[in-house]
Amino acid sequence: MAGWMWLRIFFGPNLQRIHSSPGQSRPESSARRRGWNYQPLRLEKHTDSVIGWASVLWSLSYYSSPLLLCYLYKKGDSKFVPVSQYVGTVLICLLGVVCLRGWGRWKNSEYVQFFSILEETRKNNTPSNKKKLRCFDFDFSFWPVDFSWTEFSNPKLSKAGVSLLKPESRLRGAADGVLQQVRTLPCHVISFLIAHSFGRRMLYPGSVGLLQKFMRPMLQQGQAKLIEEFNGQRNKLVACDGNEIDTMFVDRRADGRPGGSTLVICCEGNAGFYEVGCMNTPLEGGYSVLGWNHPGFGDSTGVPFPQNEANAMDVVIQFAMQKLGFQLNDIIIYAWSIGGFTASWAVMSYPELKAVVLDASFDDLLPLALKVMPCLTRYFSPRYPGPVLLIRRTKDEIITTCKLSSALYCECLILFLAPSMSVQNCHLPSTECVCVCAATVYSQYEVDDDWCVTVLQSYRTHNGTAFPWSVGEDMTLECRRRLALFLARKYMRNFETTHCTPLPFSEFRAPWTL
């Protein structure tokens, strides 16, 4: 039995840190304190370094393999045989290094204790075993699955993924359609190659391995803080496309705080991670919070294409409902920057959600992407009646790359206002629309809050809550302006800062409801 475990330890996960629960004390004499980095023995430490360098050399060899194969083909069998011998010798040496690393782990009592808990959790994934396992930070690929899409969906119906984009309209003439496809085929092929190579990495730099390697110490510290200070629970979710989604849940329901019964699901930006992202904002307010990493970010697998993003968002919401015990009307979606895409998909697919808060987001990727790479728009591309809050960064240097942020946010506001209340129908300048938080602009049009609330309540009483509303169609232009400014002020807040500044909790709040 001991020999079998020793053999399994050879190929076991790397252990980085050992956590402790909040309030749990450990004796200093045994070097056990609240959260500490795992200290491997000298043999394990050196063999890990050798294996790490071997991994780097393997990556270089993999990408240069076409050139190497061409060289061997030209040289013939005279070069192929020696190279194969060298490769075989290196593999044997690496196997010996792995065995030595396993021996070093076997002699480390902390690693043996961790591996025993991991094996026991794999056999019997009970809450008590999972609680013990959460005290260790190790390779996420070895983490047992906590929730899978198969637990709430029919595999035959959901195998292709969740509903995402509408199919493109076809040309009427079949012949013309085929001819048009042939003509545009080269452009589509080039667009596909660019979008699936460096294009995706430009839009989602957080999925670049080099950046993640550079940020790894910072991410580990952020994760340790969530676990050790907030009693965070790490979970692995499996989406319908097979991607493994890394999540972190902080439960505040037992704290007795007003916001503890409300769950805030955070959607990060294109270079954001839950370990150091926007989770901290609702945490400051006492909310229960669920953070997750995009596919390809951190320890989540896959790539952050739209379909994968929607699949991940779907399994996160289902996990919150099926495993964590929250109802849809208890969940707020909070998104920063490009996280507004998954947030928009969530509220359109689950209109029963309590509210959505969009911070420094935008209504369309097209204006931003055209400035960088037009072909990306083909591959990265309001039906929500609930409360919405838009947070506009007045010094945002990202959103203003293509046009004034005031114009962009007016477009966003149109999505949430009644059609008759749109800025076009009310003849409102975009600058006044987004600066309505200023008292001078608000008083200029003599907006009466009580009158606006009375009008909206009367409309709801006589026409119901079906969205969109047609309130204001029979009003004068002046009344429509006042009502539009009232709604704009309720739907949006201005925050005097740049795009990447963390949002303080004082600026985060649940959206206004009638």
Side-chain angles (χ1 to χ4, degrees), residues 19-28 30-36:
H19 305 292
S20 62
S21 302
Q24 180 181 2
S25 61
R26 297 181 184 270
E28 289 290 335
S30 60
R32 292 179 176 274
R33 54 190 179 278
R34 183 180 176 184
W36 71 96

Side-chain angles (χ1 to χ4, degrees), residues 130-311:
K130 183 55 67 70
K131 184 178 180 179
K132 297 177 183 178
L133 189 63
R134 288 195 176 103
C135 292
F136 301 93
D137 180 15
F138 57 96
D139 293 343
F140 194 64
S141 58
F142 289 83
W143 190 278
V145 175
D146 297 283
F147 184 74
S148 174
W149 66 286
T150 55
E151 299 183 32
F152 66 92
S153 297
N154 186 338
K156 295 183 179 179
L157 297 178
S158 304
K159 190 174 182 179
V162 298
S163 176
L164 178 61
L165 301 175
K166 296 181 179 179
E168 296 181 2
S169 58
R170 298 180 178 271
L171 299 177
R172 294 182 178 181
D176 294 340
V178 173
L179 182 60
Q180 181 67 15
Q181 292 179 6
V182 173
R183 289 177 177 175
T184 59
L185 180 61
C187 181
H188 291 169
V189 171
I190 295 174
S191 299
F192 178 87
L193 294 176
I194 293 177
H196 285 74
S197 56
F198 60 87
R200 185 257 300 174
R201 290 166 175 81
M202 291 181 66
L203 278 178
Y204 284 92
S207 64
V208 178
L210 184 61
L211 176 63
Q212 294 190 33
K213 186 176 182 179
F214 175 77
M215 295 186 62
R216 177 59 61 179
M218 188 186 306
L219 298 181
Q220 290 178 346
Q221 292 178 6
Q223 185 181 108
K225 178 181 178 181
L226 292 172
I227 294 175
E228 296 167 9
E229 296 185 15
F230 296 98
N231 197 21
Q233 303 173 17
R234 196 181 188 189
N235 296 280
K236 177 191 282 189
L237 317 182
V238 178
C240 58
D241 50 21
N243 288 333
E244 298 174 350
I245 308 302
D246 184 11
T247 68
M248 182 67 69
F249 171 57
V250 177
D251 194 353
R252 295 288 187 78
R253 285 172 290 189
D255 294 350
R257 299 188 182 186
S261 58
T262 299
L263 176 67
V264 178
I265 298 180
C266 299
C267 302
E268 302 291 344
N270 62 354
F273 305 84
Y274 75 71
E275 294 91 339
V276 292
C278 58
M279 275 189 69
N280 292 316
T281 298
L283 278 177
E284 292 179 13
Y287 288 96
S288 296
V289 184
L290 176 59
W292 60 283
N293 280 332
H294 297 282
F297 281 54
D299 290 317
S300 295
T301 62
V303 290
F305 278 104
Q307 185 64 62
N308 297 345
E309 289 276 285
N311 295 340

Side-chain angles (χ1 to χ4, degrees), residues 18 67 80 83 96 168 305 360 387 401 465 485 494 497 512:
I18 302 178
L67 298 176
F80 181 78
V83 170
E168 296 181 2
F305 278 104
T401 55
T465 58
L485 289 172
N494 285 331
T497 189
W512 174 80

Side-chain angles (χ1 to χ4, degrees), residues 30-31 33 57 77 79 81 110 122 153 155 173 175 185 212 229 244 272 299-300 306 332 339 346 421 444-445 467 496:
S30 60
R33 54 190 179 278
L57 293 176
D77 296 339
K79 290 292 184 182
V81 174
E110 288 185 339
R122 284 177 170 175
S153 297
L185 180 61
Q212 294 190 33
E229 296 185 15
E244 298 174 350
D299 290 317
S300 295
I332 295 176
M421 294 293 101
Q444 177 182 348
Y445 290 90
F467 186 83
E496 299 287 337

Side-chain angles (χ1 to χ4, degrees), residues 14 40 43-53 101 105:
N14 290 324
L43 181 60
E44 181 185 354
K45 182 178 180 180
H46 292 327
T47 52
D48 264 336
S49 299
V50 173
I51 294 174
W53 279 107
R101 183 182 66 175
R105 290 173 174 176

